Amino acid sequence: MHSLDYDVERLRNIAVRIRRYIIEMTHGAKSGHPGGSLSAVEILAALYFAIMRIDPEVPNWEDRDRFVLSKGHASPVLYATLALRGYFPEEELSRFRRIDSMLQGHPDMKGIPGVEMSTGSLGQGLSAACGMALAAKLNKKDWRVFSLIGDGESQEGMIWEASMAAAHYRLDNLTAFLDHNGLQIDGTNREVMAVEPLADKWKAFGWEVLQVDGHCFAEIIRAAYKARQIKGRPTMIIAKTTKGKGVSFMEDKADWHGKAPSDEEKDIALRELEVVCCEC
Amino acid sequence: MSANTATRDAYGKTLVQLGRENPDIVVLDADLSQSTKTIMFAREFPDRFFNMGIAEQNLMGTAAGLAASGKIPFASTFAMFATGRAFEPIRNSIAYPRLNVKIAATHAGLTVGEDGASHQCLEDVAIMRAIPNMTVICPADGIETEAVVRAAAAYEGPVYIRLGRAKVPNIYNKDEYSFQWGKGITLKDGGDVTIIATGIMAAAALEAAEDLGRSGISARVIDIHTIKPIDRELIKKAAQQTGAIVTAEEHSIIGGLGSAVAEVLCEEAPVPVIRVGAKDTFGESGTAEELLIKYGLTPGCIMQAVERALKAKGR
C-alpha cells in the first residue's frame, strides 16, 4: 500500500459478504470457529482489499506481500476473503471442512491458493512470518509480511520467542495484528490466563505498538500505513475487537469460539448480516 | 581407516563449503553454534547466519518461514532440544507443509558424555521417524556426514540429520564413498548373520564382525544411514540370505533403527532380530567410552547379541 486511497463503501460491503460466508461455512460444516473469524473480518478485508500488494492471478508472485494467519482456527475468515479476492471460486467455500476438500479445518499452504503458511497449532505462525521477513531482508526485497495473532494465542511461549527475535533482527518489514477480542474457549482472557497489559508487553519487547478499533477500516488502514514508515523495528497493531461481531447472539460470547450455528441460528444470523454492521 | 572426526565437525566444514556454492543456504542456531559447529558458517557468512537465542520452537518456525520464501535453512541445536522442545513446530510448521528445512541436530545419544541424562537424547530417531514427510539420516563417520549434508541440501523437503559430539573412526574412504539416498551400504559380506548398524555403531559392528570371523562366524555388516525411508530390499535380502539379524544403534531400542528393521522383517521376512541399543533407560554422566560400556554399546555386546541371534536361528 503506497497511499491511503481506498473505497470504504466497497470494503464495508465486502465485510458483509465475508461475514455471511463465515456463518454459511461453519453452518454447512457443522463445525469451525465463527467467533474469532467474525472479530477479524475488517482486518482481513483491509489487508487483502486495501493494504497488501498481491496478485490473485499469480498467487506465488515472488514480490508479493505475505500474510500468515497465526490464529489458524479463524480459517473461515481467511478462506472467504481469499475467495472474494479471486484466489479460488467462491463455490469452494461450501466444501469447507468436508472430506476431499482443499479447505481444511485449519489453513494448509500446500492445497489452498493464497495461503502462505500452514497454521492452526497456536503460536507458530508469527515465527514463520519472522522467517519470511528475514528472507525479504536477505534478498533486499521490499515486500512486506503481515500476520494476525490472537490474544488467547499470546499465552503461547513461542509468540514471545518470535517477538524477541523480530525486534532483535529489526524486522521493520513485519507488521502483526493482534485480534484483541478478550475471549478464548474457556472464557475471558482474564479468567483463563491474564494477558494484559499487552501494549506494554509488546513495547517492552521492542516493537512499535499501535492501537486501533479493529472494526474500523480507517483506523486499520491508517495504522498499517504508519507501520510502513517505521524503521528499525516491527509493528504490532493491537486491534480491539468484538468476538462474534455482527451477529447479536454471538457477540462477546466465548461459547461461540468453536461452535457451528444451527439451521435456525444461521437464518437469524444471515438476516442480521444483510446490512453493514460497522459504520466506522 | 583415516583419522578420527566427530560428525558435528564434518557438518560444520561441509556447511561452509555449501555456503560458498549456494547463496540460498542459510543457517540458524539456538546459542550452541560453538558446539554444533555452525560457528564456522557464521564466521564466513555472518549475513546468512541467524542465532535465534535459546528458543528452539522459534528456531524451527523461523526456518519454516525462510524455506517458504525460497531459502534452504539448516537449523541446528542439540538433538534433545531440536526434537524434544521443538517437536510440534517441526511437525506442523515444517513437515506438514513439507517445507525445505534441514534439521541438523548434534550431541545425539550417550556419547554427549559428562552432561548426563538431560542432554543425552536417545529418543530423537523414534520421534522424527513417526512424522510423515520427514527423512531421518544418521551418518556413521565424517566422510558419510559430508555426503549426507550435501545430499540433504540438494533434496527438496524436510530432513533430520543426527550427529554426534564425540570423535569417531572414519570407516569410509573419501575417494571411494558414494552416497545414495535411502540405500544402505554393505560394509562387509557374510553368510551366517547380518549386523545392521547406524551412526557410530557401524564402526563397532565392523569390529565385532572381524572378531566373530576369527571364531568362524561369517557376519555381514550393513550401514543404514537413512533410517527413514529405510532400505527394505537390502534388509529383506540380508534376512533371507543370513537368517538372523542384529541391530546396533546409539539410541533407545524403542522406536529407532532396531524397531524400523523389525517392522520390515516381521512383515516381509520374519527371522530372529536382536536389538543392541539403550534398553528403555536414561543415561548418566561419564565419559563417552565409559557410557558405551555401561549401557551395552560395544563390539563385545554386539558379539553377544550375535550369539543369541544364531541360537534363535538354530532352533
Side-chain angles (χ1 to χ4, degrees), chain A residues 110 117 121 124 127-128 131 135 138-139 158 161 165 169, chain B residues 47 50-51 57-58 61-62 65-66 71 88 93 97:
Chain A
K110 287 294 181 197
M117 188 64 209
S121 174
Q124 299 190 24
S127 294
L138 272 175
N139 292 345
M158 192 172 169
E161 293 185 4
Y169 285 106
Chain B
D47 294 347
F50 303 104
N51 201 327
Q57 300 175 64
N58 188 48
T62 304
L66 281 158
K71 298 294 170 191
E88 221 223 303
S93 291

mmCIF file with all atom_site columns, all heavy atoms in Angstrom, chain A residues 110 117 121 124 127-128 131 135 138-139 158 161 165 169, chain B residues 47 50-51 57-58 61-62 65-66 71 88 93 97:
data_model
loop_
_atom_site.group_PDB
_atom_site.id
_atom_site.type_symbol
_atom_site.label_atom_id
_atom_site.label_alt_id
_atom_site.label_comp_id
_atom_site.label_asym_id
_atom_site.label_entity_id
_atom_site.label_seq_id
_atom_site.pdbx_PDB_ins_code
_atom_site.Cartn_x
_atom_site.Cartn_y
_atom_site.Cartn_z
_atom_site.occupancy
_atom_site.B_iso_or_equiv
_atom_site.pdbx_formal_charge
_atom_site.auth_seq_id
_atom_site.auth_comp_id
_atom_site.auth_asym_id
_atom_site.auth_atom_id
_atom_site.pdbx_PDB_model_num
ATOM 1   N N   . LYS A 1 110 ? -0.213 -26.077 1.227  1.00 0.00 ? 110 LYS A N   1
ATOM 2   C CA  . LYS A 1 110 ? 0.043  -26.902 0.047  1.00 0.00 ? 110 LYS A CA  1
ATOM 3   C C   . LYS A 1 110 ? -1.189 -27.028 -0.844 1.00 0.00 ? 110 LYS A C   1
ATOM 4   O O   . LYS A 1 110 ? -1.071 -27.279 -2.033 1.00 0.00 ? 110 LYS A O   1
ATOM 5   C CB  . LYS A 1 110 ? 0.504  -28.305 0.475  1.00 0.00 ? 110 LYS A CB  1
ATOM 6   C CG  . LYS A 1 110 ? 1.911  -28.338 1.006  1.00 0.00 ? 110 LYS A CG  1
ATOM 7   C CD  . LYS A 1 110 ? 2.929  -27.999 -0.086 1.00 0.00 ? 110 LYS A CD  1
ATOM 8   C CE  . LYS A 1 110 ? 4.347  -28.068 0.451  1.00 0.00 ? 110 LYS A CE  1
ATOM 9   N NZ  . LYS A 1 110 ? 5.329  -27.387 -0.398 1.00 0.00 ? 110 LYS A NZ  1
ATOM 10  N N   . MET A 1 117 ? 1.119  -20.076 4.696  1.00 0.00 ? 117 MET A N   1
ATOM 11  C CA  . MET A 1 117 ? 1.722  -20.920 5.725  1.00 0.00 ? 117 MET A CA  1
ATOM 12  C C   . MET A 1 117 ? 0.650  -21.813 6.333  1.00 0.00 ? 117 MET A C   1
ATOM 13  O O   . MET A 1 117 ? -0.469 -21.357 6.574  1.00 0.00 ? 117 MET A O   1
ATOM 14  C CB  . MET A 1 117 ? 2.342  -20.026 6.815  1.00 0.00 ? 117 MET A CB  1
ATOM 15  C CG  . MET A 1 117 ? 3.170  -20.776 7.837  1.00 0.00 ? 117 MET A CG  1
ATOM 16  S SD  . MET A 1 117 ? 4.616  -21.560 7.081  1.00 0.00 ? 117 MET A SD  1
ATOM 17  C CE  . MET A 1 117 ? 4.846  -22.953 8.172  1.00 0.00 ? 117 MET A CE  1
ATOM 18  N N   . SER A 1 121 ? -1.987 -24.815 14.913 1.00 0.00 ? 121 SER A N   1
ATOM 19  C CA  . SER A 1 121 ? -1.471 -25.020 16.252 1.00 0.00 ? 121 SER A CA  1
ATOM 20  C C   . SER A 1 121 ? -0.958 -23.664 16.724 1.00 0.00 ? 121 SER A C   1
ATOM 21  O O   . SER A 1 121 ? -0.038 -23.094 16.134 1.00 0.00 ? 121 SER A O   1
ATOM 22  C CB  . SER A 1 121 ? -0.338 -26.052 16.202 1.00 0.00 ? 121 SER A CB  1
ATOM 23  O OG  . SER A 1 121 ? 0.254  -26.148 17.473 1.00 0.00 ? 121 SER A OG  1
ATOM 24  N N   . GLN A 1 124 ? 2.557  -20.594 16.338 1.00 0.00 ? 124 GLN A N   1
ATOM 25  C CA  . GLN A 1 124 ? 3.612  -20.923 15.367 1.00 0.00 ? 124 GLN A CA  1
ATOM 26  C C   . GLN A 1 124 ? 3.700  -19.969 14.181 1.00 0.00 ? 124 GLN A C   1
ATOM 27  O O   . GLN A 1 124 ? 4.765  -19.803 13.589 1.00 0.00 ? 124 GLN A O   1
ATOM 28  C CB  . GLN A 1 124 ? 3.427  -22.354 14.863 1.00 0.00 ? 124 GLN A CB  1
ATOM 29  C CG  . GLN A 1 124 ? 3.519  -23.365 15.992 1.00 0.00 ? 124 GLN A CG  1
ATOM 30  C CD  . GLN A 1 124 ? 3.591  -24.811 15.510 1.00 0.00 ? 124 GLN A CD  1
ATOM 31  O OE1 . GLN A 1 124 ? 3.995  -25.090 14.392 1.00 0.00 ? 124 GLN A OE1 1
ATOM 32  N NE2 . GLN A 1 124 ? 3.190  -25.733 16.367 1.00 0.00 ? 124 GLN A NE2 1
ATOM 33  N N   . SER A 1 127 ? 6.299  -16.976 14.074 1.00 0.00 ? 127 SER A N   1
ATOM 34  C CA  . SER A 1 127 ? 7.688  -17.384 13.806 1.00 0.00 ? 127 SER A CA  1
ATOM 35  C C   . SER A 1 127 ? 7.919  -17.531 12.303 1.00 0.00 ? 127 SER A C   1
ATOM 36  O O   . SER A 1 127 ? 8.949  -17.095 11.778 1.00 0.00 ? 127 SER A O   1
ATOM 37  C CB  . SER A 1 127 ? 7.998  -18.716 14.487 1.00 0.00 ? 127 SER A CB  1
ATOM 38  O OG  . SER A 1 127 ? 7.973  -18.585 15.884 1.00 0.00 ? 127 SER A OG  1
ATOM 39  N N   . ALA A 1 128 ? 6.973  -18.153 11.623 1.00 0.00 ? 128 ALA A N   1
ATOM 40  C CA  . ALA A 1 128 ? 7.108  -18.315 10.170 1.00 0.00 ? 128 ALA A CA  1
ATOM 41  C C   . ALA A 1 128 ? 7.132  -16.947 9.495  1.00 0.00 ? 128 ALA A C   1
ATOM 42  O O   . ALA A 1 128 ? 7.902  -16.708 8.556  1.00 0.00 ? 128 ALA A O   1
ATOM 43  C CB  . ALA A 1 128 ? 5.964  -19.171 9.630  1.00 0.00 ? 128 ALA A CB  1
ATOM 44  N N   . GLY A 1 131 ? 10.502 -15.579 9.713  1.00 0.00 ? 131 GLY A N   1
ATOM 45  C CA  . GLY A 1 131 ? 11.391 -16.199 8.719  1.00 0.00 ? 131 GLY A CA  1
ATOM 46  C C   . GLY A 1 131 ? 11.202 -15.574 7.349  1.00 0.00 ? 131 GLY A C   1
ATOM 47  O O   . GLY A 1 131 ? 12.165 -15.329 6.618  1.00 0.00 ? 131 GLY A O   1
ATOM 48  N N   . ALA A 1 135 ? 13.864 -13.414 5.131  1.00 0.00 ? 135 ALA A N   1
ATOM 49  C CA  . ALA A 1 135 ? 14.174 -13.757 3.733  1.00 0.00 ? 135 ALA A CA  1
ATOM 50  C C   . ALA A 1 135 ? 14.080 -12.516 2.850  1.00 0.00 ? 135 ALA A C   1
ATOM 51  O O   . ALA A 1 135 ? 14.922 -12.295 1.976  1.00 0.00 ? 135 ALA A O   1
ATOM 52  C CB  . ALA A 1 135 ? 13.232 -14.854 3.233  1.00 0.00 ? 135 ALA A CB  1
ATOM 53  N N   . LEU A 1 138 ? 17.166 -10.512 3.436  1.00 0.00 ? 138 LEU A N   1
ATOM 54  C CA  . LEU A 1 138 ? 18.321 -11.154 2.799  1.00 0.00 ? 138 LEU A CA  1
ATOM 55  C C   . LEU A 1 138 ? 18.342 -10.890 1.302  1.00 0.00 ? 138 LEU A C   1
ATOM 56  O O   . LEU A 1 138 ? 19.389 -10.661 0.705  1.00 0.00 ? 138 LEU A O   1
ATOM 57  C CB  . LEU A 1 138 ? 18.249 -12.674 3.020  1.00 0.00 ? 138 LEU A CB  1
ATOM 58  C CG  . LEU A 1 138 ? 18.876 -13.237 4.279  1.00 0.00 ? 138 LEU A CG  1
ATOM 59  C CD1 . LEU A 1 138 ? 18.585 -14.729 4.368  1.00 0.00 ? 138 LEU A CD1 1
ATOM 60  C CD2 . LEU A 1 138 ? 20.382 -13.001 4.269  1.00 0.00 ? 138 LEU A CD2 1
ATOM 61  N N   . ASN A 1 139 ? 17.153 -10.939 0.693  1.00 0.00 ? 139 ASN A N   1
ATOM 62  C CA  . ASN A 1 139 ? 17.043 -10.754 -0.759 1.00 0.00 ? 139 ASN A CA  1
ATOM 63  C C   . ASN A 1 139 ? 16.967 -9.284  -1.148 1.00 0.00 ? 139 ASN A C   1
ATOM 64  O O   . ASN A 1 139 ? 16.816 -8.969  -2.319 1.00 0.00 ? 139 ASN A O   1
ATOM 65  C CB  . ASN A 1 139 ? 15.804 -11.492 -1.293 1.00 0.00 ? 139 ASN A CB  1
ATOM 66  C CG  . ASN A 1 139 ? 15.961 -12.998 -1.181 1.00 0.00 ? 139 ASN A CG  1
ATOM 67  O OD1 . ASN A 1 139 ? 17.050 -13.507 -0.971 1.00 0.00 ? 139 ASN A OD1 1
ATOM 68  N ND2 . ASN A 1 139 ? 14.857 -13.715 -1.321 1.00 0.00 ? 139 ASN A ND2 1
ATOM 69  N N   . MET A 1 158 ? 5.915  -19.471 22.536 1.00 0.00 ? 158 MET A N   1
ATOM 70  C CA  . MET A 1 158 ? 6.576  -19.310 21.242 1.00 0.00 ? 158 MET A CA  1
ATOM 71  C C   . MET A 1 158 ? 6.321  -17.931 20.640 1.00 0.00 ? 158 MET A C   1
ATOM 72  O O   . MET A 1 158 ? 7.155  -17.405 19.905 1.00 0.00 ? 158 MET A O   1
ATOM 73  C CB  . MET A 1 158 ? 6.082  -20.414 20.296 1.00 0.00 ? 158 MET A CB  1
ATOM 74  C CG  . MET A 1 158 ? 6.878  -20.561 19.020 1.00 0.00 ? 158 MET A CG  1
ATOM 75  S SD  . MET A 1 158 ? 6.316  -22.047 18.134 1.00 0.00 ? 158 MET A SD  1
ATOM 76  C CE  . MET A 1 158 ? 7.147  -21.786 16.554 1.00 0.00 ? 158 MET A CE  1
ATOM 77  N N   . GLU A 1 161 ? 8.991  -15.811 21.995 1.00 0.00 ? 161 GLU A N   1
ATOM 78  C CA  . GLU A 1 161 ? 10.272 -16.125 21.339 1.00 0.00 ? 161 GLU A CA  1
ATOM 79  C C   . GLU A 1 161 ? 10.348 -15.367 20.010 1.00 0.00 ? 161 GLU A C   1
ATOM 80  O O   . GLU A 1 161 ? 11.371 -14.753 19.677 1.00 0.00 ? 161 GLU A O   1
ATOM 81  C CB  . GLU A 1 161 ? 10.392 -17.633 21.070 1.00 0.00 ? 161 GLU A CB  1
ATOM 82  C CG  . GLU A 1 161 ? 10.502 -18.511 22.311 1.00 0.00 ? 161 GLU A CG  1
ATOM 83  C CD  . GLU A 1 161 ? 10.729 -19.989 21.980 1.00 0.00 ? 161 GLU A CD  1
ATOM 84  O OE1 . GLU A 1 161 ? 10.886 -20.349 20.792 1.00 0.00 ? 161 GLU A OE1 1
ATOM 85  O OE2 . GLU A 1 161 ? 10.763 -20.792 22.923 1.00 0.00 ? 161 GLU A OE2 1
ATOM 86  N N   . ALA A 1 165 ? 12.836 -12.210 18.737 1.00 0.00 ? 165 ALA A N   1
ATOM 87  C CA  . ALA A 1 165 ? 13.676 -12.349 17.538 1.00 0.00 ? 165 ALA A CA  1
ATOM 88  C C   . ALA A 1 165 ? 13.346 -11.265 16.503 1.00 0.00 ? 165 ALA A C   1
ATOM 89  O O   . ALA A 1 165 ? 14.242 -10.714 15.860 1.00 0.00 ? 165 ALA A O   1
ATOM 90  C CB  . ALA A 1 165 ? 13.494 -13.738 16.933 1.00 0.00 ? 165 ALA A CB  1
ATOM 91  N N   . TYR A 1 169 ? 16.237 -8.744  15.194 1.00 0.00 ? 169 TYR A N   1
ATOM 92  C CA  . TYR A 1 169 ? 16.640 -8.643  13.784 1.00 0.00 ? 169 TYR A CA  1
ATOM 93  C C   . TYR A 1 169 ? 16.016 -7.429  13.082 1.00 0.00 ? 169 TYR A C   1
ATOM 94  O O   . TYR A 1 169 ? 16.041 -7.340  11.863 1.00 0.00 ? 169 TYR A O   1
ATOM 95  C CB  . TYR A 1 169 ? 16.351 -9.964  13.052 1.00 0.00 ? 169 TYR A CB  1
ATOM 96  C CG  . TYR A 1 169 ? 17.375 -11.029 13.418 1.00 0.00 ? 169 TYR A CG  1
ATOM 97  C CD1 . TYR A 1 169 ? 17.053 -12.079 14.268 1.00 0.00 ? 169 TYR A CD1 1
ATOM 98  C CD2 . TYR A 1 169 ? 18.683 -10.922 12.959 1.00 0.00 ? 169 TYR A CD2 1
ATOM 99  C CE1 . TYR A 1 169 ? 18.015 -13.019 14.639 1.00 0.00 ? 169 TYR A CE1 1
ATOM 100 C CE2 . TYR A 1 169 ? 19.642 -11.859 13.322 1.00 0.00 ? 169 TYR A CE2 1
ATOM 101 C CZ  . TYR A 1 169 ? 19.304 -12.897 14.158 1.00 0.00 ? 169 TYR A CZ  1
ATOM 102 O OH  . TYR A 1 169 ? 20.263 -13.812 14.529 1.00 0.00 ? 169 TYR A OH  1
ATOM 103 N N   . ASP B 2 47  ? 25.949 -12.711 7.400  1.00 0.00 ? 47  ASP B N   1
ATOM 104 C CA  . ASP B 2 47  ? 24.626 -12.237 6.955  1.00 0.00 ? 47  ASP B CA  1
ATOM 105 C C   . ASP B 2 47  ? 23.633 -13.375 6.761  1.00 0.00 ? 47  ASP B C   1
ATOM 106 O O   . ASP B 2 47  ? 22.430 -13.153 6.727  1.00 0.00 ? 47  ASP B O   1
ATOM 107 C CB  . ASP B 2 47  ? 24.742 -11.485 5.622  1.00 0.00 ? 47  ASP B CB  1
ATOM 108 C CG  . ASP B 2 47  ? 25.542 -10.207 5.790  1.00 0.00 ? 47  ASP B CG  1
ATOM 109 O OD1 . ASP B 2 47  ? 25.771 -9.807  6.944  1.00 0.00 ? 47  ASP B OD1 1
ATOM 110 O OD2 . ASP B 2 47  ? 25.952 -9.634  4.758  1.00 0.00 ? 47  ASP B OD2 1
ATOM 111 N N   . PHE B 2 50  ? 21.760 -16.951 11.479 1.00 0.00 ? 50  PHE B N   1
ATOM 112 C CA  . PHE B 2 50  ? 20.846 -16.344 12.445 1.00 0.00 ? 50  PHE B CA  1
ATOM 113 C C   . PHE B 2 50  ? 20.903 -17.095 13.773 1.00 0.00 ? 50  PHE B C   1
ATOM 114 O O   . PHE B 2 50  ? 20.488 -18.246 13.857 1.00 0.00 ? 50  PHE B O   1
ATOM 115 C CB  . PHE B 2 50  ? 19.408 -16.352 11.901 1.00 0.00 ? 50  PHE B CB  1
ATOM 116 C CG  . PHE B 2 50  ? 19.291 -15.643 10.588 1.00 0.00 ? 50  PHE B CG  1
ATOM 117 C CD1 . PHE B 2 50  ? 19.176 -16.357 9.406  1.00 0.00 ? 50  PHE B CD1 1
ATOM 118 C CD2 . PHE B 2 50  ? 19.358 -14.260 10.516 1.00 0.00 ? 50  PHE B CD2 1
ATOM 119 C CE1 . PHE B 2 50  ? 19.102 -15.706 8.182  1.00 0.00 ? 50  PHE B CE1 1
ATOM 120 C CE2 . PHE B 2 50  ? 19.290 -13.595 9.302  1.00 0.00 ? 50  PHE B CE2 1
ATOM 121 C CZ  . PHE B 2 50  ? 19.164 -14.316 8.133  1.00 0.00 ? 50  PHE B CZ  1
ATOM 122 N N   . ASN B 2 51  ? 21.460 -16.428 14.768 1.00 0.00 ? 51  ASN B N   1
ATOM 123 C CA  . ASN B 2 51  ? 21.401 -17.013 16.091 1.00 0.00 ? 51  ASN B CA  1
ATOM 124 C C   . ASN B 2 51  ? 20.044 -16.639 16.682 1.00 0.00 ? 51  ASN B C   1
ATOM 125 O O   . ASN B 2 51  ? 19.744 -15.459 16.865 1.00 0.00 ? 51  ASN B O   1
ATOM 126 C CB  . ASN B 2 51  ? 22.541 -16.498 16.962 1.00 0.00 ? 51  ASN B CB  1
ATOM 127 C CG  . ASN B 2 51  ? 22.800 -17.446 18.121 1.00 0.00 ? 51  ASN B CG  1
ATOM 128 O OD1 . ASN B 2 51  ? 21.854 -18.077 18.617 1.00 0.00 ? 51  ASN B OD1 1
ATOM 129 N ND2 . ASN B 2 51  ? 24.039 -17.565 18.541 1.00 0.00 ? 51  ASN B ND2 1
ATOM 130 N N   . GLN B 2 57  ? 11.714 -23.476 19.637 1.00 0.00 ? 57  GLN B N   1
ATOM 131 C CA  . GLN B 2 57  ? 10.471 -23.503 18.863 1.00 0.00 ? 57  GLN B CA  1
ATOM 132 C C   . GLN B 2 57  ? 10.514 -22.440 17.771 1.00 0.00 ? 57  GLN B C   1
ATOM 133 O O   . GLN B 2 57  ? 10.200 -22.688 16.606 1.00 0.00 ? 57  GLN B O   1
ATOM 134 C CB  . GLN B 2 57  ? 9.271  -23.272 19.779 1.00 0.00 ? 57  GLN B CB  1
ATOM 135 C CG  . GLN B 2 57  ? 9.133  -24.325 20.872 1.00 0.00 ? 57  GLN B CG  1
ATOM 136 C CD  . GLN B 2 57  ? 8.001  -23.992 21.820 1.00 0.00 ? 57  GLN B CD  1
ATOM 137 O OE1 . GLN B 2 57  ? 6.838  -23.957 21.433 1.00 0.00 ? 57  GLN B OE1 1
ATOM 138 N NE2 . GLN B 2 57  ? 8.329  -23.723 23.049 1.00 0.00 ? 57  GLN B NE2 1
ATOM 139 N N   . ASN B 2 58  ? 10.939 -21.240 18.163 1.00 0.00 ? 58  ASN B N   1
ATOM 140 C CA  . ASN B 2 58  ? 11.043 -20.162 17.182 1.00 0.00 ? 58  ASN B CA  1
ATOM 141 C C   . ASN B 2 58  ? 12.141 -20.440 16.164 1.00 0.00 ? 58  ASN B C   1
ATOM 142 O O   . ASN B 2 58  ? 12.037 -20.043 15.003 1.00 0.00 ? 58  ASN B O   1
ATOM 143 C CB  . ASN B 2 58  ? 11.307 -18.834 17.895 1.00 0.00 ? 58  ASN B CB  1
ATOM 144 C CG  . ASN B 2 58  ? 11.225 -17.647 16.963 1.00 0.00 ? 58  ASN B CG  1
ATOM 145 O OD1 . ASN B 2 58  ? 10.269 -17.526 16.195 1.00 0.00 ? 58  ASN B OD1 1
ATOM 146 N ND2 . ASN B 2 58  ? 12.218 -16.787 16.996 1.00 0.00 ? 58  ASN B ND2 1
ATOM 147 N N   . GLY B 2 61  ? 10.312 -22.583 13.672 1.00 0.00 ? 61  GLY B N   1
ATOM 148 C CA  . GLY B 2 61  ? 9.271  -21.818 12.981 1.00 0.00 ? 61  GLY B CA  1
ATOM 149 C C   . GLY B 2 61  ? 9.868  -20.802 12.019 1.00 0.00 ? 61  GLY B C   1
ATOM 150 O O   . GLY B 2 61  ? 9.361  -20.608 10.902 1.00 0.00 ? 61  GLY B O   1
ATOM 151 N N   . THR B 2 62  ? 10.947 -20.149 12.432 1.00 0.00 ? 62  THR B N   1
ATOM 152 C CA  . THR B 2 62  ? 11.613 -19.178 11.561 1.00 0.00 ? 62  THR B CA  1
ATOM 153 C C   . THR B 2 62  ? 12.227 -19.879 10.358 1.00 0.00 ? 62  THR B C   1
ATOM 154 O O   . THR B 2 62  ? 12.150 -19.378 9.224  1.00 0.00 ? 62  THR B O   1
ATOM 155 C CB  . THR B 2 62  ? 12.695 -18.406 12.352 1.00 0.00 ? 62  THR B CB  1
ATOM 156 O OG1 . THR B 2 62  ? 12.079 -17.805 13.492 1.00 0.00 ? 62  THR B OG1 1
ATOM 157 C CG2 . THR B 2 62  ? 13.337 -17.331 11.503 1.00 0.00 ? 62  THR B CG2 1
ATOM 158 N N   . GLY B 2 65  ? 9.602  -20.398 7.816  1.00 0.00 ? 65  GLY B N   1
ATOM 159 C CA  . GLY B 2 65  ? 9.293  -19.188 7.049  1.00 0.00 ? 65  GLY B CA  1
ATOM 160 C C   . GLY B 2 65  ? 10.359 -18.869 6.016  1.00 0.00 ? 65  GLY B C   1
ATOM 161 O O   . GLY B 2 65  ? 10.050 -18.433 4.903  1.00 0.00 ? 65  GLY B O   1
ATOM 162 N N   . LEU B 2 66  ? 11.628 -19.099 6.365  1.00 0.00 ? 66  LEU B N   1
ATOM 163 C CA  . LEU B 2 66  ? 12.721 -18.893 5.405  1.00 0.00 ? 66  LEU B CA  1
ATOM 164 C C   . LEU B 2 66  ? 12.587 -19.876 4.239  1.00 0.00 ? 66  LEU B C   1
ATOM 165 O O   . LEU B 2 66  ? 12.765 -19.503 3.079  1.00 0.00 ? 66  LEU B O   1
ATOM 166 C CB  . LEU B 2 66  ? 14.070 -19.075 6.109  1.00 0.00 ? 66  LEU B CB  1
ATOM 167 C CG  . LEU B 2 66  ? 14.533 -17.877 6.948  1.00 0.00 ? 66  LEU B CG  1
ATOM 168 C CD1 . LEU B 2 66  ? 15.545 -18.303 8.001  1.00 0.00 ? 66  LEU B CD1 1
ATOM 169 C CD2 . LEU B 2 66  ? 15.121 -16.782 6.063  1.00 0.00 ? 66  LEU B CD2 1
ATOM 170 N N   . LYS B 2 71  ? 14.534 -20.045 0.705  1.00 0.00 ? 71  LYS B N   1
ATOM 171 C CA  . LYS B 2 71  ? 15.849 -20.316 1.275  1.00 0.00 ? 71  LYS B CA  1
ATOM 172 C C   . LYS B 2 71  ? 15.981 -21.809 1.615  1.00 0.00 ? 71  LYS B C   1
ATOM 173 O O   . LYS B 2 71  ? 14.976 -22.522 1.713  1.00 0.00 ? 71  LYS B O   1
ATOM 174 C CB  . LYS B 2 71  ? 16.072 -19.484 2.541  1.00 0.00 ? 71  LYS B CB  1
ATOM 175 C CG  . LYS B 2 71  ? 16.035 -17.980 2.300  1.00 0.00 ? 71  LYS B CG  1
ATOM 176 C CD  . LYS B 2 71  ? 17.202 -17.543 1.428  1.00 0.00 ? 71  LYS B CD  1
ATOM 177 C CE  . LYS B 2 71  ? 17.061 -16.103 0.974  1.00 0.00 ? 71  LYS B CE  1
ATOM 178 N NZ  . LYS B 2 71  ? 18.048 -15.779 -0.086 1.00 0.00 ? 71  LYS B NZ  1
ATOM 179 N N   . GLU B 2 88  ? 6.664  -29.988 18.002 1.00 0.00 ? 88  GLU B N   1
ATOM 180 C CA  . GLU B 2 88  ? 5.439  -29.595 17.312 1.00 0.00 ? 88  GLU B CA  1
ATOM 181 C C   . GLU B 2 88  ? 5.659  -28.587 16.197 1.00 0.00 ? 88  GLU B C   1
ATOM 182 O O   . GLU B 2 88  ? 5.072  -28.733 15.126 1.00 0.00 ? 88  GLU B O   1
ATOM 183 C CB  . GLU B 2 88  ? 4.440  -29.099 18.340 1.00 0.00 ? 88  GLU B CB  1
ATOM 184 C CG  . GLU B 2 88  ? 3.063  -29.592 18.012 1.00 0.00 ? 88  GLU B CG  1
ATOM 185 C CD  . GLU B 2 88  ? 2.063  -28.503 18.199 1.00 0.00 ? 88  GLU B CD  1
ATOM 186 O OE1 . GLU B 2 88  ? 1.982  -27.954 19.291 1.00 0.00 ? 88  GLU B OE1 1
ATOM 187 O OE2 . GLU B 2 88  ? 1.380  -28.198 17.217 1.00 0.00 ? 88  GLU B OE2 1
ATOM 188 N N   . SER B 2 93  ? 4.802  -26.952 11.369 1.00 0.00 ? 93  SER B N   1
ATOM 189 C CA  . SER B 2 93  ? 5.256  -25.844 10.520 1.00 0.00 ? 93  SER B CA  1
ATOM 190 C C   . SER B 2 93  ? 6.264  -26.293 9.458  1.00 0.00 ? 93  SER B C   1
ATOM 191 O O   . SER B 2 93  ? 6.487  -25.582 8.494  1.00 0.00 ? 93  SER B O   1
ATOM 192 C CB  . SER B 2 93  ? 5.898  -24.732 11.364 1.00 0.00 ? 93  SER B CB  1
ATOM 193 O OG  . SER B 2 93  ? 4.915  -24.075 12.143 1.00 0.00 ? 93  SER B OG  1
ATOM 194 N N   . PRO B 2 97  ? 3.586  -28.966 5.945  1.00 0.00 ? 97  PRO B N   1
ATOM 195 C CA  . PRO B 2 97  ? 3.654  -28.303 4.621  1.00 0.00 ? 97  PRO B CA  1
ATOM 196 C C   . PRO B 2 97  ? 4.870  -28.734 3.788  1.00 0.00 ? 97  PRO B C   1
ATOM 197 O O   . PRO B 2 97  ? 5.101  -28.181 2.728  1.00 0.00 ? 97  PRO B O   1
ATOM 198 C CB  . PRO B 2 97  ? 3.741  -26.818 4.988  1.00 0.00 ? 97  PRO B CB  1
ATOM 199 C CG  . PRO B 2 97  ? 4.249  -26.747 6.365  1.00 0.00 ? 97  PRO B CG  1
ATOM 200 C CD  . PRO B 2 97  ? 3.945  -28.047 7.050  1.00 0.00 ? 97  PRO B CD  1
#
